[in-house]
Amino acid sequence: MWKQKISISLGNRYKEKTEDLIPVVKKAGFDGVSPEWEKDFNLSSIVDAANREGLALVSLHAPYGGAADLWSEDESVSRPVLDELLLCLDDAHKYGFPVLVLHVWIGFGEEPTPTEKGLQNLSILAEKAKEYGIRLAFENTEGDGHLAAVMKHFEGNDTAGYCWDSGHEMCYNHSRDLLALYGDRLLVTHLNDNLGISRFDGEIFWTDDLHLLPFDGIADWDNNIQRLRASRPLEYLNFELSMVSKPNRHENDLYGKLSPSEYFALAYTRACRIAWKYANFPLH
């Protein structure tokens, strides 16, 4: 095609089971999948389905509900979160995922100062990941200060890298150029479109995180691709998209009227436009 492989994230929020969507995304044209991990769910069925369809396992997304608690100085609060992440890492190793994607913070409002305890917990995870031959990709979400602290802490550590979420950059990070900061450590992408920050006062909130198909929002994809091409080269461009609108939002409603086959076929055509530009645009 363009010597550029395309993969897609599959969270656990579709009406259909993730393993049942695997043949659909394969038929649409995708080359790989990046599922989301949950405790006590059937990851083996997803992996088996991907193997049957010849789809690569590009990354595994760790749970993030306890991301803030991981920084707590109280061991009774932070340790259960670390233990869950270690279980997730065990599964990534068991099933052959090369990258584990993590959020480093969750929550809005005033961001607290990152703690040494949180960095110690992530260091424990990184040591185990190194033992397994798995790399950790820290994603930009809300909490710029925590991401900066983590990336500085792991500077020079080949086990730890970066996951760029293009939509999060627009709505959570005020369109700050994070690839300029961490692009040389890029391991995986979550490519999606967005409408930016909706509030006039500039306050960020999770309902602005739309995960639209590329070209359905206001993203400057030529600029995004130029920045990607100046970053660490990737075997797969991974897309993280959503069929479902956020509460009191309706931007994704049209997707929900499509069948899974129609939706993923449309997603693939948009992904192909990005992949072609990524493979062919000249660097400036």
Side-chain angles (χ1 to χ4, degrees):
M1 188 167 48
W2 316 278
K3 299 182 179 179
Q4 178 55 55
K5 298 175 184 177
I6 303 172
S7 60
I8 190 163
S9 294
L10 289 176
N12 304 317
R13 296 170 186 86
Y14 291 97
K15 295 177 182 179
E16 297 79 10
K17 292 181 179 179
T18 302
E19 54 265 38
D20 294 335
L21 292 175
I22 297 289
V24 179
V25 301
K26 171 65 175 181
K27 186 175 181 180
F30 289 95
D31 304 296
V33 290
S34 295
E36 183 177 331
W37 187 92
E38 287 185 12
K39 190 176 181 180
D40 300 325
F41 89 124
N42 195 354
L43 183 59
S44 63
S45 294
I46 297 171
V47 172
D48 288 346
N51 289 337
R52 284 195 303 271
E53 297 293 338
L55 290 173
L57 302 174
V58 175
S59 66
L60 183 65
H61 200 306
Y64 53 86
D69 289 341
L70 191 68
W71 298 86
S72 174
E73 301 285 1
D74 185 342
E75 184 80 8
S76 68
V77 174
S78 63
R79 186 68 206 195
V81 180
L82 177 59
D83 287 342
E84 183 178 54
L85 291 176
L86 287 168
L87 282 176
C88 179
L89 186 62
D90 287 343
D91 273 354
H93 173 61
K94 178 180 178 180
Y95 293 108
F97 288 91
V99 176
L100 182 65
V101 176
L102 300 106
H103 291 194
V104 297
W105 183 253
I106 187 170
F108 296 88
E110 186 174 353
E111 183 184 359
T113 301
T115 65
E116 187 62 31
K117 180 63 174 177
L119 294 174
Q120 290 172 0
N121 286 331
L122 289 172
S123 292
I124 292 171
L125 193 69
E127 282 300 312
K128 178 59 71 173
K130 182 178 180 180
E131 178 186 327
Y132 284 158
I134 294 172
R135 305 178 82 179
L136 305 179
F138 297 103
E139 181 179 351
N140 57 294
T141 61
E142 68 275 26
D144 288 11
H146 284 77
L147 178 63
V150 169
M151 298 305 286
K152 181 179 180 180
H153 180 71
F154 287 112
E155 194 168 8
N157 186 334
D158 190 54
T159 298
Y162 177 51
C163 170
W164 182 55
D165 190 302
S166 59
H168 288 175
E169 185 183 77
M170 296 171 67
C171 69
Y172 288 161
N173 312 121
H174 299 269
S175 293
R176 184 178 174 213
D177 186 358
L178 296 179
L179 284 176
L181 295 175
Y182 311 124
D184 60 334
R185 300 160 71 181
L186 187 65
L187 297 178
V188 67
T189 58
H190 287 172
L191 299 179
N192 57 88
D193 216 326
N194 201 276
L195 296 175
I197 298 170
S198 62
R199 290 177 59 105
F200 289 112
D201 61 6
E203 183 177 346
I204 63 172
F205 198 58
W206 70 277
T207 54
D208 281 338
D209 183 26
L210 305 176
H211 288 267
L212 298 172
L213 297 181
F215 307 103
D216 280 354
I218 61 173
D220 182 344
W221 284 105
D222 286 353
N223 176 260
N224 282 346
I225 291 158
Q226 290 289 351
R227 292 190 293 139
L228 273 174
R229 283 176 54 78
S231 302
R232 181 181 177 272
L234 295 173
E235 182 180 5
Y236 292 88
L237 288 181
N238 187 74
F239 292 76
E240 187 182 57
L241 308 167
S242 177
M243 292 183 73
V244 181
S245 294
K246 293 293 174 67
N248 299 314
R249 303 289 294 254
H250 300 282
E251 292 87 350
N252 306 62
D253 287 0
L254 287 175
Y255 305 153
K257 297 179 180 179
L258 302 175
S259 69
S261 294
E262 292 169 330
Y263 174 74
F264 287 110
L266 181 60
Y268 179 70
T269 64
R270 302 295 180 85
C272 286
R273 291 174 65 181
I274 303 295
W276 186 91
K277 290 173 179 285
Y278 181 73
N280 292 283
F281 263 30
L283 277 171
H284 295 316

